[in-house]
Amino acid sequence: GAPTALAAADGRDGSIAWPAAVEVWRARPSAGNPSGVACCYGRRMWAQVVAGAVEVGGVRAVAGDAVIVLNERRVELVARSAAEVIVFVAD
């Protein structure tokens, strides 16, 4: 499914109000269905794969792996199996 905000500076969508320039998201993409994570130029994204196998911006990763993405507007997460990914976006 679509990524869910866990922590954000503005507390959007019922997330924890986080007084820092860091957002934390949880994505649970289903196999073969892409989920997009919005990123902005000048920001960094760390995607930590908790379970399953995914592609993060075209890079394959499995549980325990992490992928760092720099300066992209949007990054696609595509699950190769049922998966869970925690995504950190920071300035």
Side-chain angles (χ1 to χ4, degrees):
T4 304
L6 299 178
D10 59 3
R12 80 179 70 111
D13 300 329
S15 66
I16 297 168
W18 186 279
V22 176
E23 296 175 3
V24 183
W25 296 78
R26 177 178 63 194
R28 291 182 174 166
S30 56
N33 294 317
S35 256
V37 176
C39 251
C40 301
Y41 284 116
R43 300 192 84 191
R44 296 166 287 173
M45 185 184 97
W46 174 284
Q48 181 69 51
V49 183
V50 177
V54 298
E55 285 187 19
V56 180
V59 175
R60 290 182 182 243
V62 297
D65 290 344
V67 177
I68 296 173
V69 178
L70 302 173
N71 298 321
E72 294 292 334
R73 290 190 188 277
R74 185 173 174 84
V75 176
E76 291 295 324
L77 303 175
V78 179
R80 296 298 168 207
S81 64
E84 182 170 6
V85 181
I86 302 296
V87 177
F88 302 85
V89 179
D91 290 340

